[in-house]
Every structure is written in structure tokens, then in C-alpha cells.
Amino acid sequence: MAKLDSYLTKELAGATFATAIVLFVVSVGAAFTDVLRDIAEGKVPAGMMLSQLGLVLVGATPIILPLALMLGIMLAVGRLYRDSEMPVIHAAGVGPKRFLRPLMYVVVPILLVVGIASIWLGPAAKAESAKMISAANRNLVVAGLTPGSFTELPNGAGVVFVGSTNDEGSDLSDIFVYRQNERRMDITSAPNASVVIDDNGRRFISLKDGFEVEGPRDGSKDYRLLRYKKNDVLMPEGERKYDANSPEFRPFLSLVGDSDPQAQAQLHYRLTPLFLTLAFALMAVPLARSMPRQARYGRVMFGFLLYMVAFDLMLLSRNWIEDGKLSGSLGMWWISLPLLIAGVYMYLRDGRVASPKIALPILRKGGAA
């Protein structure tokens, strides 16, 4: 039995690890696209690309690992059925209860990683990301500008040219700004400027002692020349400022007992992946049951869709709790507990043979059977 446990654990762990690698590679591509978009929009400096990418992946771990675990178990158990190994294992007296030991050897470490990432590491990564962006918000590079070159503003709103900047990126020189809308255009220039952030987190380039030419785009001569002492130009919208009191960044223990809907939503959002991970791991074994030459990928697709529905409901529930549409005491238990109960029931019933039905005698007329 020890050798059998070792063999089954190796099969389950190998398939889970391979699936996790594939899912993380796919997630890297999606996260890389999001980070590049933020850099292009001036929300994140280009030098922070790798750090932001790593922090995004850490935050996505509680979503990726449960799926990797479920698919890995389904693929491993499905292969055992396909190669007729599972019927031999069952014939040797290894049923669902005995199979639980090697399964837990794989599931428990994944549960620990998901718990650490969901309760502590993921929120800490989000907080660190917000801190880094908030601290860099005063830097010229965050505004999407590069000294010595023209930079296009988002949505084709115009271009900005910065001649040079100081080491901190807050003081600028030789500024040229061209802005336009459907009817008019605006050209602003100044020898000196600085990056300013107001209380709402909006970023401006504060131009000093410059000129502004404003006029129509239809070719008419309705132009105006202005000379100003100070002129603030709104820059692309940056990421929201870091707020240590936001429930999204607060430690887990500080959320316990808090009656604020956002805090309750975050509390349930961090706990639910643990229950869903265990529920999907237990469901994966009976879902993978198949005949030796039966196609197994249909069941894998069914498990994947079930996972997507559950996690979409989790995201919706978080929004409903924050908006007050769902009670904080109910939280996300209506998702996790039914799935966990269903997973335990399906696992324990897996492989059981239904009891034969006893045919009752048919009474004929006159009392003869």
C-alpha cells in the first residue's frame, strides 16, 4: 500500500504541477497585456513592468491554483481509467476512502498555498503594487512622457514634448503641448513646468511663464494668443492612490468583526477560495471516472465550466455584498458550502454499485400471486 500511495501521489502531483505551469504561462500573457496597457496609458512607469507583473501573478494565485488542482486530478485519474489501471486498483480493495490518502498528500499543500496567497500574500501584493505606483506618481515617467521626444496623449487627444527634466522627474523644461477636440485645437508652450497632483489624485503639468495659441480646426482665422503666468494641463488619469484603510489592503484579522459591507466582502472573498479548492478537488475524482476507451476531455470541459461559474458567482457576490444587495452574514457561504457538500457526497458515492431492486410479486385477481 505504501508503494501504491507513492505511485498515486506522484501521478496526481505531476499532472497538477504540469497543469499549473501551463495556466501560469497563460496568465503571464494576460497579465503582461494588462501591464503594457497601463504603461501605454501612463498609469504605470515602464521601469516597474516586471515588478508589477510579478505582483499581479501573486494576486492571481488563489484563482489559478484551484483550477490547476482540479484539472490535474481529472487528467491523472482519467489516465488511470484509460489505461485500465484504476479498475485493477479498485479490484485490489482500494476504494474512495483508501484513495483519499494519496489525494490529500497533493491537496493539503495546495490548500496551504492557496490560503497563504488568498488571506495574506495576495492582499499584501496588491498593497505593495498600489504603494509603488502612488510613490512614483510624481515622476515624469509615470505621466507617460519621455524627455526629448513627442508623446501621444490617450485617445488621440494630442501630443506632449518635454525637452529635459531633473533626476526626480518633477521639474521640466522646454514644454510643448498640443491638444485638440472635434472643433478646436490648443498649442501651449513654456520654458519651465512641474508635475502637480491634486487631492483627487489627478495629475497636471503646471506650466509657468508661457504662451498659448487657441483656434478652430476648420481653417478659419479665429485664433487667440494668450500669455500666462501659470497654466495647468491635465495629464492621463493615473492609478488610484494607496489607502491603507481600504478593505482591499487591510490585514485579514482586522476584517474579522467589521460590519462595513466592503470589509465583509473582502473577508468572504479571501476565505471562499479555500473551500472551493477542497470542493473541486473532491469532485474531480468522480468526474474523471470513464470507461477504458471513453473520451475523457468532455468531463474535463464540464469541470472547467463548473469552476468558471463558481468563481464568477464569487466575484458577483463580492459586488453584491459591497453594494448592500447581499447580507454580509450570508456572504459567499451559499456558494462554497453547497459545492463542498456536493463534492463530499460525490466522492463518497463514487464507485458504489446500486443495490438491485427486488421485484414485488403481482397479485392477481382472486388472491393468487
Side-chain angles (χ1 to χ4, degrees):
M1 286 300 176
K3 292 183 178 180
L4 180 60
D5 288 345
S6 176
Y7 173 73
L8 294 176
T9 302
K10 182 179 178 181
E11 290 292 321
L12 296 173
T16 300
F17 179 76
T19 305
I21 292 296
V22 172
L23 291 180
F24 270 106
V25 169
V26 174
S27 300
V28 165
F32 185 68
T33 302
D34 292 338
V35 172
L36 282 182
R37 184 184 66 246
D38 291 339
I39 292 175
E41 293 177 354
K43 297 179 180 179
V44 177
M48 294 169 56
M49 182 180 67
L50 292 180
S51 61
Q52 291 298 309
L53 181 61
L55 293 173
V56 169
L57 289 177
V58 171
T61 299
I63 299 177
I64 299 174
L65 278 186
L67 178 60
L69 178 62
M70 182 189 67
L71 295 181
I73 293 174
M74 292 189 69
L75 292 174
V77 176
R79 190 202 67 78
L80 294 176
Y81 276 111
R82 184 195 63 191
D83 295 343
S84 301
E85 294 183 24
M86 190 60 79
V88 176
I89 294 174
H90 289 330
V94 178
K97 294 182 180 180
R98 187 63 183 78
F99 190 79
L100 189 63
R101 179 181 296 178
L103 181 65
M104 288 298 106
Y105 286 158
V106 178
V107 172
V108 171
I110 299 295
L111 275 176
L112 291 176
V113 175
V114 170
I116 293 173
S118 180
I119 294 175
W120 172 68
L121 201 57
K126 293 180 182 179
E128 184 63 25
S129 175
K131 285 180 183 179
M132 293 173 63
I133 295 176
S134 180
N137 246 351
R138 296 184 180 275
N139 192 289
L140 175 65
V141 181
V142 180
L145 306 177
T146 303
S149 63
F150 287 91
T151 303
E152 184 178 359
L153 296 178
N155 301 321
V159 294
V160 178
F161 176 85
V162 178
S164 60
T165 178
N166 63 348
D167 295 337
E168 291 78 18
S170 57
D171 296 328
L172 322 176
S173 61
D174 300 329
I175 313 300
F176 172 88
V177 181
Y178 171 79
R179 293 172 293 175
Q180 65 181 19
N181 54 32
E182 295 180 356
R183 296 184 178 181
R184 304 188 71 81
M185 62 180 179
D186 182 286
I187 300 175
T188 308
S189 61
N192 299 293
S194 59
V195 178
V196 179
I197 303 177
D198 66 5
D199 295 335
N200 297 322
R202 296 180 301 175
R203 294 169 298 170
F204 296 85
I205 292 183
S206 182
L207 304 169
K208 303 172 184 177
D209 300 320
F211 293 89
E212 179 177 355
V213 179
E214 187 265 339
R217 298 182 59 190
D218 58 5
S220 59
K221 299 180 180 181
D222 183 19
Y223 284 90
R224 292 183 296 176
L225 174 62
L226 305 176
R227 182 172 183 175
Y228 56 83
K229 188 70 176 178
K230 181 181 178 182
N231 188 1
D232 293 339
V233 178
L234 179 64
M235 295 307 297
E237 181 180 359
E239 290 290 293
R240 56 192 175 88
K241 296 185 296 182
Y242 169 71
D243 183 8
N245 295 321
S246 174
E248 186 178 5
F249 306 136
R250 284 168 52 186
F252 176 79
L253 293 179
S254 68
L255 300 175
V256 178
D258 195 329
S259 59
D260 180 61
Q262 292 187 350
Q264 292 179 339
Q266 277 296 317
L267 179 65
H268 288 282
Y269 185 71
R270 299 184 191 183
L271 285 175
T272 303
L274 282 169
F275 296 95
L276 295 185
T277 301
L278 182 58
F280 286 125
L282 294 174
M283 286 183 185
V285 176
L287 285 177
R289 172 177 286 274
S290 61
M291 299 300 291
R293 282 179 289 274
Q294 182 181 355
R296 54 176 175 157
Y297 294 106
R299 292 175 176 265
V300 173
M301 182 57 66
F302 175 78
F304 175 77
L305 292 177
L306 183 63
Y307 164 88
M308 293 301 297
V309 170
F311 272 85
D312 284 344
L313 289 176
M314 187 179 74
L315 295 175
L316 288 174
S317 296
R318 182 183 63 178
N319 297 333
W320 290 341
I321 297 173
E322 291 176 349
D323 297 338
K325 299 178 181 179
L326 192 64
S327 171
S329 57
L330 177 61
M332 302 178 188
W333 298 117
W334 64 279
I335 303 173
S336 56
L337 289 183
L339 284 175
L340 185 58
I341 293 173
V344 173
Y345 176 79
M346 291 173 61
Y347 183 86
L348 295 179
R349 293 289 299 178
D350 182 39
R352 287 194 178 184
V353 179
S355 300
K357 296 181 180 180
I358 302 176
L360 296 177
I362 302 176
L363 295 178
R364 298 178 180 175
K365 189 175 181 179

